[in-house]
Amino acid sequence: MKAQFGFWLEKQPSLIPDAGNGVFLRGGHASPGAIVAMYPGTLYRPGEAIFFNSLHNRYILKCNDGVYVDGKSNGLSGSIYRSLNSRDNYPGITPTADTTWMTSQPKNPLAIGQIVNNGTSQFPPNVRYQELDISTEACALELQEFLPNIWYSGDWHDEPQNKGYLRTVVLVTTRTVEQDQELYSTYIEG
């Protein structure tokens, strides 16, 4: 990751008291406008069943168009993601989604955005969420295994409701993030 981006990311206890883990930028810096992370998880369209897996789940992000991203890697949410991946990726084909973000050794080192904490007055935000739709025709099949998102209702290649794209959410820096700084987002932009 350092060779490609000039930095790497590390998960460790947040500097915000009682916030759990956070994400730190290591080995370099990121300039304003740089993509520094991706928000992995199951994608739900407005009206799809998300109630039960949303209970006590702080990893659900709502996009501007009403699509939800469930970035929780364990419990019911994790089971649903793994099940959907099995539905869309049967043995012997090139994988079209990444499940390694749910482990301690992700193959896509950017798929850690769900761990980024909300900024505070003492720890102001330095990244923002940006929706990014990836075209099925434009994304090479051999690269799709690095994409950490999957639609709840149908494979993104075949289903008409997916309109030939995969929704991803990337975290983009709003100012320079220096080496060893923690990433902080803003969950609600005013």
Side-chain angles (χ1 to χ4, degrees):
M1 184 169 177
K2 169 103 168 116
Q4 291 293 319
F5 295 98
F7 62 85
W8 71 87
L9 301 175
E10 187 175 84
K11 181 173 69 170
Q12 69 177 58
S14 177
L15 298 175
I16 299 174
D18 301 317
N21 284 322
V23 176
F24 292 78
L25 191 130
R26 303 289 191 211
H29 74 281
S31 299
I35 294 174
V36 291
M38 297 179 77
Y39 200 102
T42 303
L43 304 167
Y44 293 89
R45 285 183 190 74
E48 291 184 331
I50 192 170
F51 175 74
F52 287 111
N53 46 318
S54 70
L55 296 174
H56 304 290
N57 184 347
R58 36 182 223 166
Y59 298 102
I60 294 184
L61 180 74
K62 185 177 181 182
C63 297
N64 289 329
D65 61 358
V67 169
Y68 289 92
V69 185
D70 181 359
K72 189 173 180 184
S73 63
N74 57 10
L76 179 59
S77 297
S79 295
I80 288 171
Y81 188 92
R82 283 187 289 280
S83 176
L84 295 172
N85 187 61
S86 295
R87 173 198 69 195
D88 295 350
N89 295 284
Y90 48 88
I93 67 164
T94 302
T96 58
D98 177 24
T99 57
T100 64
W101 66 270
M102 304 167 85
T103 70
S104 61
Q105 296 295 319
K107 68 176 139 186
N108 177 348
L110 295 177
I112 194 171
Q114 80 282 16
I115 306 298
V116 173
N117 285 306
N118 193 35
T120 66
S121 57
Q122 186 178 357
F123 302 97
N126 52 16
V127 297
R128 65 177 174 81
Y129 299 102
Q130 178 65 52
E131 298 161 18
L132 176 66
D133 294 336
I134 298 177
S135 165
T136 56
E137 290 85 30
C139 185
L141 186 61
E142 61 272 9
L143 296 178
Q144 293 174 19
E145 68 178 298
F146 297 100
L147 298 174
N149 300 95
I150 196 164
W151 286 111
Y152 177 75
S153 58
D155 180 9
W156 63 301
H157 298 90
D158 303 325
E159 301 297 320
Q161 71 268 24
N162 294 336
K163 300 181 180 115
Y165 73 90
L166 179 69
R167 167 64 49 86
T168 61
V169 177
V170 294
L171 283 79
V172 179
T173 54
T174 57
R175 56 187 166 88
T176 299
V177 179
E178 299 295 342
Q179 179 172 316
D180 299 329
Q181 282 188 320
E182 184 173 358
L183 301 179
Y184 301 109
S185 66
T186 180
Y187 292 163
I188 300 174
E189 294 187 21

